[in-house]
Amino acid sequence: MPFQMHFVGNGVESQEYIVVLLHGLDSSSRTWKSTLEGLTDAEISAVAVDLRGSGQTPMGAVFSRDQVVSDLDTFLLQYYPRRTCILVGHSMGVRVAMCYAAQHPQNVAALVIEDMDIGQHRLTDSPTPHMTPTQLLNFDRRADDSNDILERLVEAGYTQDMVSGWLEGGRIYLRNDGSWWSDVNPEFRYVCYREFCDNSIGVDAWTAIASKINVPCHVFVASPEGTICKEDSIQDMVRIFDQHKKPLSLHRFTKAAHSIHNSAPKEFMDTLLKIIAPVTQEGGQQLDE
């Protein structure tokens, strides 16, 4: 069966642009529910995807940085051909957005970075240190009983409070076939650290973006208590754009947690709509065949 990414579109049609929402670690397209609703109310075309190995998208045979970027490119060409993208990435989803923008700058009308810097984030900082790579790379997200998934996620290194919260919040749920499913995948976390975080790809992709892209770029930073960004890395982002004489807009959400779109939804949506408005008013940019 061909590889297919699961996605949730908001049903608003546009022949010119699409807002593409990319989730972070231990998450899925579900995290964007309120954002999709807000964009629907504003009559703005948008889609949230489950990246390879997360949500309802399978891991597939290969997980690499280039493969994940190719997944997104193939998906957009299949479902939203000839649209330019307003890319919105949260946390690790930012790294995917950055790599996509660096490889396909002609497809990007605006880039929004939600609470991620360009520094190295080490695998040893991941909350899944107790399982071996072999165990993590064979994690089964399906179970006949919810307690089985909860226990295996705790064995992977997540806390009991985290996994209980995921059950309550719908990241672990009963499917129509009677089985239980976890949108959270420690295997996804492990390989994302390897491919996108525990290396220099943040700096490399950001530098490529600064040299190639002439579209609005915005960085959203959560409160000092909620952010995972390091201030010196944020300043590096500003410096790199300054070196290439490119404008960069920095937005600080002083009362928001790491997930700005869920912890400060009104402020997030108001800011996002102001970013989107000039792009949509200009009618987007049609791509060549």
Side-chain angles (χ1 to χ4, degrees), residues 138-191:
N138 288 279
F139 190 88
D140 186 359
R141 293 189 285 153
R142 182 192 177 281
D144 294 327
D145 183 87
S146 61
N147 288 329
D148 180 34
I149 288 182
L150 297 180
E151 289 172 2
R152 287 190 285 111
L153 287 170
V154 170
E155 288 175 0
Y158 298 109
T159 67
Q160 185 65 56
D161 286 345
M162 290 173 72
V163 299
S164 296
W166 292 336
L167 178 62
E168 182 178 347
R171 298 192 199 187
I172 300 168
Y173 52 90
L174 185 65
R175 299 199 293 189
N176 291 334
D177 64 1
S179 66
W180 285 84
W181 182 259
S182 172
D183 280 351
V184 177
N185 186 0
E187 178 180 7
F188 176 76
R189 170 177 280 274
Y190 174 79
V191 292

Side-chain angles (χ1 to χ4, degrees), residues 15 95 98-99 125 173 177 184 207 226 267:
Q15 298 301 314
R95 297 295 177 95
M98 286 168 49
C99 290
D125 297 331
Y173 52 90
D177 64 1
V184 177
T207 303
E267 187 180 2

